[in-house]
Amino acid sequence: MIQTIAWVVSLFFMLVVTAVFGIVALKSTKKSDYTPIKKKWYKARTFYGAALIVLLLAVSIYTLRDLPYNQPVYSADEEPVVVDVEALQFGWEISQTEFKVGEPIEFHVTSQDVNHGFGIYDEDMNILTQTQAMPEYTNEVYITFDEPGTYEILCMEYCGLAHHLMTAELTVTE
Amino acid sequence: MESVKSRNNVVVSYLIAGGLIILVMIIFGILMLLSQGGVLDLQPAAFYQILTIHGTGMVGASAFAAAGIMAYFLSKYVDLSKNVLMTNLVFFLIGVVMVIIGVFSFEYASSWTFLYPLPQLSANAWGTIGALLYLFGMLILGVGFLLFYLDAGRAIIKNYGSLAKGLGWDVISGKKAEADAPSSTVVASTMVVIINVTALTVGAAVLIMNAINVINPAFTVDPLLAKNLTYAFGHIFANSIIYMGVIAVYEVLQQYTKRTWAVNKVFLIAWTMSTVFTLLIYTHHLLMDSVMPTWMLIMGQALSHANGLPVLVVTAYGALMIVYKSGIKWDVGSGLIFMSMFGWVAGVVPAIVDATIVVNQVMHNTKWVPGHFHMYMALGACAMIFGFMYYLAKQDSSIKTNAADKFAFVGYAVSIAALSGSFLVSGVLSTPRRWATHIPEWMGPALFGGVIGVLAFISVAIFVIHFIRFIRIRSKTVPGTYKKEQLA
Amino acid sequence: MRNFLYGMILLAFLIIPPVRNTLESIMITHMLVQIPLLIVSGWLMADVFQERFKAFFTKWNENGIAGILLVIFITAYWMIPLNIDRSLEMWSMELFKFGSLPLLAGIPLRDSWKKISSLVKSFIIFNYISMFGLLAWIYIEAPVRVCNSYLESDQEILGWGFLVITVSLILYMLQNVFADQSEASP
């Protein structure tokens, strides 16, 4: 979902950029005095710059409202399942791999040796969320599975020659 | 008569070394993509060695060639030491040889990010010698670059009084008129001196820390500190390439359009912003480390977004303005230079998207990231380098471009845009980056990228051949007057 | 001549056993007070030597590089924990310390600093920035006692001392490159 939004937004703006550069390139070989061009387009820049600042600020503030670092607020009768994850060259030690749909889960992720990445993939191999697994530190990642099925853990940080073999499975049932 | 051989070729050597290494690195890139695409069977060890060399080589070679651009134009305003430039060249070559031996003879494969403690803890894939060759090779490379930037800083301070004045702060504060502001070349060079002296000092420290840990594993580093230092070094140094390359954009477009690129307050403020942001935004590489102080990560996102402003509002906009209805006569060099600004701006878009924390959560360390930087570095920074190579050839000799060069221009633009697009699509498909093998769903874009990469290789080969032709013509005839201080 | 006298007095003062013992009893004063002061004493005495052995200095240290390399080697030597340990255990090493730092670091430092170019100067300073930063890390993070003669807690204090020096050097360089130098020396 987020991937699609990111892709559409990027594509849109990249196409706008292409169009602008294309138009300027097409009009570049005609010759005209620079002073009026400067005057006109410096003025336009003031608006363009202001609009861009407003846009970026709005996007920043909007996207910073809800960060993945914040522990979700649990209701009174709800207890999150805390799962300890330890990464090592080249595998995962996960304290619990079977979950129920709808139960909030906290993965506490660390590493025995080098830096690894803990990426959770759904059955269609779309990444849902991730965090870094690093020695001496414990990163937390929060997730609630909505669908039953088999989820995969993939290593997301290069950790050595068997990096691409470092996978594990989680099972989610109704 | 001045003998031909004594003509100073130092900038030309920077560019030919950079160009040739980039060309070879493209081959490695193609091999990796073909292997991920399932048509080539690379052993994981070979794949990750190639990955390490590809990253190190591309960043090192383009930084080196871009330093050549900076030296060439900056020496028109200040006196750079030729000895330092030669020292940097020698150190660069020694460093490259050590890195190559470390990687291919001693199977070192930590990727170019050498994230602590991977150099030491390789699960027995490589040994102490390989790691030390790589780390000290990088250190020697870094020392050469450091000398170059220190000398540039010294020269700027000598001419302009201080680095603050090199950035035009006295103009911003109103003490000096805009008309007396330092040229765009000096401003950009000052910025690069500041950020890269910082990056290289940090880099030297973290390289030695890793080396000590490799020699005696009892000495450990806080992994989070090491990660911060490593990304601060890597991010700033890789970023600096485009800020050196853009000097060619300023100078070449001004000449070709016969218009002046005004250095005004807005321009200077933009460069000061770039200086500060570039030093601070490396934390966007740590957005998936929730143990980091949250304010640093929020700052990472906010400043990364803000870092788009100087280029979007000032540099790229200025390039568009200076070209618009200028009656410019395009050639391959100026075409590449103009295209480089497009590559930069287009490459900034996926970067801003990815620096957003909620997006980073699903894009971090996927192939979206190489998608961004292949556009930004190859279509942006490297196009500046190749464009400058054509510019220099035209300035210094009677060489003519032919149909092959024009084909290469189009081929390069198309292939890099397609390659970057294929990486971005892989990112949307959640393909993790730096994986030796792909599941079938991920293979398509990788294979496509590998095939289109061949076109990129052919195009860059033509660029490099043209430059070699230029060197040969030049060594026979020396146009223009010869000065001892002349760098090219 | 007056400087020479001050240098001699400083050196003599540092040699007095109670002073020496006090300074050497704590790791941080040993490394960040005694050793720098020994270099300073040599630096103060330098002009007499420069006068006396003019020919020697011009011949062997013409561009200052030889001297500054010597300074780097000697100072690096006395940053190694093992050598600090030995100076406490062996009288010959202690003698070498009191000789080498003034004579082989202090004097060449003064002779070279004026001769080397500003590029070499800044390179040396950045070199010391990374070196001191690394020492800070080594002494703070060292898993074991690196010196037999001192406690681990002493070691850590020394590490923070090095960090302070590193930060000060960085601040010095910052003000140096950002403060205007054209008006000061027109």
Side-chain angles (χ1 to χ4, degrees):
Chain A
M1 185 55 200
I2 298 173
Q3 283 95 328
T4 317
I5 298 172
W7 177 228
V8 171
V9 169
S10 300
L11 206 58
F12 171 74
F13 281 105
M14 287 193 290
L15 287 175
V16 170
V17 171
T18 314
V20 171
F21 273 80
I23 291 168
V24 171
L26 283 178
K27 294 209 169 178
S28 62
T29 43
K30 232 173 40 186
K31 199 169 166 74
S32 129
D33 196 20
Y34 196 28
T35 321
I37 293 179
K38 268 205 286 197
K39 207 175 156 203
K40 180 178 166 195
W41 289 102
Y42 271 145
K43 212 168 168 186
R45 181 167 77 176
T46 316
F47 294 103
Y48 157 68
L52 204 60
I53 291 172
V54 170
L55 176 73
L56 281 174
L57 258 178
V59 169
S60 260
I61 292 168
Y62 179 77
T63 54
L64 283 170
R65 286 168 316 144
D66 193 19
L67 293 179
Y69 316 128
N70 306 330
Q71 192 173 28
V73 184
Y74 302 115
S75 55
D77 57 332
E78 215 177 23
E79 269 292 305
V81 183
V82 176
V83 182
D84 291 314
V85 179
E86 201 169 26
L88 64 150
Q89 282 166 328
F90 297 95
W92 299 96
E93 277 174 15
I94 306 175
S95 66
Q96 181 184 338
T97 55
E98 283 173 18
F99 306 96
K100 290 255 176 317
V101 166
E103 67 183 355
I105 306 163
E106 291 187 2
F107 289 102
H108 292 199
V109 184
T110 185
S111 165
Q112 274 181 19
D113 36 50
V114 300
N115 285 278
H116 302 273
F118 178 77
I120 305 176
Y121 279 71
D122 66 13
E123 284 193 327
D124 302 325
M125 290 309 268
N126 287 316
I127 188 167
L128 300 174
T129 184
Q130 64 172 312
T131 194
Q132 289 268 301
M134 61 187 297
E136 295 177 40
Y137 287 87
T138 303
N139 284 310
E140 291 180 17
V141 62
Y142 313 102
I143 191 168
T144 304
F145 293 107
D146 301 325
E147 304 262 338
T150 310
Y151 291 77
E152 272 208 72
I153 306 299
L154 265 60
C155 185
M156 302 297 291
E157 184 68 71
Y158 176 63
C159 59
L161 300 193
H163 165 55
H164 55 286
L165 300 176
M166 210 174 133
T167 57
E169 271 184 8
L170 304 178
T171 317
V172 177
T173 50
E174 285 289 353
Chain B
M1 215 184 105
E2 201 58 63
S3 96
V4 174
K5 284 210 172 66
S6 76
R7 185 172 169 117
N8 192 344
N9 279 319
V10 64
V11 166
V12 175
S13 341
Y14 273 49
L15 288 163
I16 194 67
L20 282 171
I21 295 176
I22 290 172
L23 186 63
V24 177
M25 293 306 129
I26 295 178
I27 302 178
F28 289 138
I30 294 170
L31 290 179
M32 283 191 287
L33 284 169
L34 290 181
S35 167
Q36 290 175 328
V39 294
L40 186 76
D41 191 22
L42 275 183
Q43 289 302 307
F47 180 90
Y48 291 119
Q49 285 161 25
I50 289 175
L51 178 91
T52 306
I53 274 289
H54 179 82
T56 316
M58 281 296 190
V59 172
S62 30
F64 192 66
I69 296 181
M70 174 172 151
Y72 179 82
F73 289 115
L74 184 60
S75 65
K76 298 191 169 165
Y77 304 92
V78 302
D79 286 326
L80 293 177
S81 154
K82 201 186 134 192
N83 288 336
V84 169
L85 283 164
M86 285 308 295
T87 312
N88 188 19
L89 176 66
V90 173
F91 279 31
F92 179 78
L93 296 176
I94 296 174
V96 166
V97 170
M98 285 174 72
V99 165
I100 291 175
I101 296 176
V103 170
F104 287 133
S105 308
F106 292 91
E107 304 187 334
Y108 180 78
S110 72
S111 100
W112 89 279
T113 50
F114 55 88
L115 208 51
Y116 170 87
L118 188 56
Q120 191 258 320
L121 284 175
S122 68
N124 294 324
W126 58 84
T128 312
I129 301 175
L132 290 183
L133 274 169
Y134 183 87
L135 295 170
F136 280 109
M138 291 282 274
L139 194 63
I140 289 174
L141 265 160
V143 168
F145 274 108
L146 181 62
L147 283 169
F148 169 73
Y149 295 115
L150 287 174
D151 183 57
R154 173 204 57 79
I156 291 169
I157 291 174
K158 196 172 158 214
N159 262 41
Y160 295 87
S162 70
L163 294 184
K165 287 191 167 179
L167 284 175
W169 286 2
D170 46 351
V171 180
I172 297 176
S173 69
K175 266 199 267 176
K176 209 156 97 181
E178 279 185 352
D180 302 326
S183 74
S184 43
T185 299
V186 174
V187 176
S189 303
T190 310
M191 181 268 193
V192 173
V193 165
I194 295 170
I195 62 168
N196 265 354
V197 169
T198 313
L200 291 163
T201 311
V202 171
V206 75
L207 281 166
I208 297 175
M209 283 176 173
N210 269 303
I212 292 177
N213 175 252
V214 166
I215 297 166
N216 181 356
F219 280 91
T220 56
V221 190
D222 183 309
L224 194 60
L225 173 70
K227 214 181 216 181
N228 273 275
L229 295 177
T230 308
Y231 284 126
F233 156 69
H235 174 85
I236 298 172
F237 189 70
N239 230 205
S240 75
I241 298 168
I242 214 158
Y243 292 109
M244 292 187 275
V246 75
I247 295 171
V249 179
Y250 290 138
E251 298 272 354
V252 173
L253 287 186
Q254 290 194 80
Q255 269 188 37
Y256 271 68
T257 59
K258 300 187 186 71
R259 289 172 167 181
T260 37
W261 195 314
V263 175
N264 50 31
K265 279 189 191 175
V266 176
F267 179 95
L268 294 168
I269 291 169
W271 273 94
T272 298
M273 278 168 74
S274 294
T275 313
V276 177
F277 293 159
T278 307
L279 287 171
L280 295 179
I281 59 174
Y282 78 87
T283 51
H284 66 213
H285 293 273
L286 291 120
L287 295 178
M288 286 303 109
D289 287 277
S290 57
V291 284
M292 284 284 285
T294 308
W295 66 267
M296 278 185 89
L297 301 180
I298 290 177
M299 184 186 82
Q301 167 175 338
L303 294 187
S304 301
H305 286 186
N307 198 29
L309 290 171
V311 56
L312 291 173
V313 181
V314 180
T315 310
Y317 197 87
L320 291 169
M321 242 170 58
I322 204 169
V323 164
Y324 183 68
K325 290 188 181 167
S326 64
I328 188 171
K329 295 203 171 43
W330 292 108
D331 57 22
V332 177
S334 56
L336 280 164
I337 292 276
F338 183 68
M339 190 179 74
S340 73
M341 288 311 296
F342 164 73
W344 187 351
V345 177
V348 156
V349 175
I352 289 183
V353 169
D354 185 42
T356 311
I357 295 170
V358 285
V359 178
N360 194 263
Q361 199 182 357
V362 292
M363 287 298 196
H364 185 78
N365 279 349
T366 65
K367 284 176 128 182
W368 182 271
V369 186
H372 141 65
F373 66 68
H374 277 83
M375 194 167 276
Y376 175 93
M377 296 291 268
L379 210 53
C382 289
M384 291 169 184
I385 293 167
F386 298 133
F388 176 71
M389 280 159 70
Y390 275 91
Y391 165 81
L392 190 65
K394 200 171 180 178
Q395 292 291 304
D396 254 20
S397 75
S398 52
I399 191 168
K400 294 268 182 294
T401 51
N402 52 32
D405 295 302
K406 291 196 181 92
F407 165 80
F409 171 78
V410 178
Y412 189 72
V414 170
S415 61
I416 300 294
L419 172 72
S420 310
S422 77
F423 271 121
L424 291 175
V425 169
S426 293
V428 175
L429 296 177
S430 299
T431 315
R433 90 190 258 211
R434 297 184 176 135
W435 268 45
T437 54
H438 280 355
I439 57 168
E441 291 95 311
W442 295 336
M443 283 181 177
L447 185 59
F448 174 78
V451 172
I452 201 79
V454 176
L455 180 58
F457 173 79
I458 295 170
S459 307
V460 173
I462 294 171
F463 294 159
V464 172
I465 289 168
H466 170 268
F467 199 67
I468 292 173
R469 269 173 55 215
F470 151 65
I471 293 175
R472 294 188 53 185
I473 292 177
R474 192 171 107 124
S475 64
K476 285 182 208 131
T477 52
V478 188
T481 48
Y482 167 81
K483 276 193 304 185
K484 197 158 157 269
E485 300 78 28
Q486 210 168 346
L487 298 177
Chain C
M1 198 56 210
R2 182 177 269 178
N3 272 347
F4 181 78
L5 207 64
Y6 289 149
M8 283 299 279
I9 295 171
L10 179 59
L11 184 58
F13 176 73
L14 289 170
I15 294 173
I16 304 172
V19 177
R20 191 170 65 96
N21 290 338
T22 317
L23 287 180
E24 289 177 357
S25 65
I26 309 167
M27 198 174 188
I28 189 166
T29 54
H30 189 178
M31 288 195 70
L32 296 184
V33 178
Q34 191 195 51
I35 289 178
L37 284 179
L38 283 170
I39 298 175
V40 169
S41 76
W43 190 82
L44 287 169
M45 292 186 281
D47 45 2
V48 168
F49 287 90
Q50 280 168 307
E51 279 297 306
R52 212 37 200 279
F53 306 104
K54 209 168 196 162
F56 174 81
F57 279 108
T58 24
K59 189 176 171 202
W60 290 97
N61 199 25
E62 200 186 345
N63 54 12
I65 301 289
I68 207 74
L69 280 177
L70 189 62
V71 174
I72 292 177
F73 280 128
I74 294 294
T75 49
Y77 182 85
W78 288 112
M79 285 178 200
I80 297 170
L82 184 70
N83 297 327
I84 292 293
D85 248 358
R86 284 200 186 136
S87 76
L88 297 172
E89 288 155 6
M90 294 151 62
W91 67 268
S92 56
M93 281 299 276
E94 184 74 349
L95 190 67
F96 177 58
K97 187 174 79 187
F98 276 83
S100 62
L101 285 165
L103 291 176
L104 302 179
I107 295 174
L109 178 63
R110 185 154 170 194
D111 189 57
S112 294
W113 199 250
K114 282 188 199 136
K115 293 178 181 170
I116 55 179
S117 68
S118 58
L119 171 70
V120 179
K121 271 182 202 162
S122 48
F123 181 74
I124 303 274
I125 293 175
F126 278 100
N127 184 34
Y128 275 101
I129 288 179
S130 352
M131 226 149 100
F132 286 141
L134 278 167
L135 282 166
W137 160 65
I138 285 185
Y139 284 111
I140 295 172
E141 288 272 328
V144 286
R145 260 166 75 179
V146 288
C147 269
N148 294 327
S149 321
Y150 298 106
L151 297 172
E152 261 184 83
S153 56
D154 272 9
Q155 219 167 274
E156 209 178 310
I157 295 169
L158 176 66
W160 289 104
F162 272 117
L163 197 63
V164 170
I165 299 181
T166 312
V167 172
S168 319
L169 273 178
I170 292 171
L171 291 177
Y172 168 75
M173 278 316 277
L174 278 179
Q175 74 85 27
N176 204 15
V177 296
F178 279 98
D180 192 7
Q181 297 174 9
S182 54
E183 277 145 335
S185 51

